[in-house]
Amino acid sequence: MKILNSKFKIQKMKFLLSSFCLLFLVSCYTFTGNSLNHEEQTILIKTFPNNAAMVNPTLSQDFTTLLQNRFLRNTSLKGATENADIIIEGEIVDYNPSIPTAISNPINTDGGSIQAAQNKLVITVKVHYENKKFPEANFDRTYTDEATFSSDLDINSIETSQVKIVNDRIINKIFNDIVANW
């Protein structure tokens, strides 16, 4: 009985020691780090004009405002109107809310065969990122994302919500490419 009791105590001590080590290691690492240095203090995000063939009249302003808000709320950078340490600029080069996409396999019902068609909204944005403190981080990239919706829905009634979804995804990609330290 004493042997079992001492084995139990040893296992308990090993478990507690392992748990302590794991907690210590987890507390040393955070996911809030970023690749921006403390030398970068200011940011200028210029208006992204909508140069797509099809124009959504609010897309340029909505996209630019969402991008500015993401950086000002989630970094310690301060907005600037000139001579900023970081400059982000670009243009919206594609906006297409009615690209036909998948048609589901027919489903047989009592009333006949049903097929569901979908459309997708696609937005493409070109981005120029310039870091005056660390020019090796500069880049020019193109970001594209999409949202799929039923072709039965009127694009005019859902366009605002679908544009917000796509804008958020593109902005997340831009933000991660500039700030995230994964």
Side-chain angles (χ1 to χ4, degrees):
M1 187 75 155
K2 281 189 171 189
I3 294 173
L4 289 176
N5 197 14
S6 65
K7 282 186 179 180
F8 178 72
K9 286 182 181 179
I10 291 172
Q11 287 178 342
K12 186 176 176 182
M13 291 297 285
K14 284 182 181 179
F15 175 77
L16 289 173
L17 184 59
S18 297
S19 298
F20 175 75
C21 289
L22 182 63
L23 286 173
F24 177 74
L25 291 173
V26 169
S27 68
C28 293
Y29 185 81
T30 66
F31 290 101
T32 59
N34 65 59
S35 61
L36 296 176
N37 295 296
H38 295 293
E39 293 181 40
E40 296 123 327
Q41 306 272 323
T42 57
I43 188 168
L44 169 60
I45 299 175
K46 296 182 179 180
T47 299
F48 278 66
N50 187 351
N51 295 328
M54 184 180 287
V55 175
N56 173 322
T58 63
L59 182 59
S60 172
Q61 185 61 46
D62 292 345
F63 182 85
T64 303
T65 301
L66 287 168
L67 185 62
Q68 290 168 339
N69 288 342
R70 176 70 61 92
F71 277 89
L72 295 176
R73 288 184 182 151
N74 297 314
T75 69
S76 60
L77 297 169
K78 304 294 179 216
T81 56
E82 59 183 35
N83 299 323
D85 298 326
I86 292 174
I87 299 171
I88 301 172
E89 58 189 337
E91 64 179 323
I92 299 162
V93 295
D94 187 32
Y95 173 79
N96 195 337
S98 60
I99 298 174
T101 185
I103 296 177
S104 68
N105 292 328
I107 299 171
N108 293 321
T109 65
D110 292 337
S113 181
I114 300 173
Q115 277 188 307
Q118 294 183 323
N119 287 342
K120 65 181 172 181
L121 165 73
V122 177
I123 299 175
T124 302
V125 179
K126 285 187 179 179
V127 175
H128 172 74
Y129 168 68
E130 184 177 339
N131 187 321
K132 291 186 178 180
K133 301 284 185 180
F134 300 95
E136 64 276 5
N138 296 353
F139 65 76
D140 290 292
R141 294 191 184 138
T142 301
Y143 297 89
T144 299
D145 213 306
E146 62 191 45
T148 305
F149 57 94
S150 171
S151 62
D152 293 341
L153 298 173
D154 175 27
I155 184 62
N156 296 321
S157 65
I158 62 164
E159 187 172 20
T160 301
S161 64
Q162 298 301 301
V163 167
K164 174 136 179 33
I165 290 168
V166 176
N167 278 345
D168 284 343
R169 290 177 183 164
I170 292 173
I171 288 168
N172 193 46
K173 291 175 187 178
I174 295 167
F175 184 83
N176 286 339
D177 283 353
I178 293 171
V179 176
N181 189 15
W182 297 96

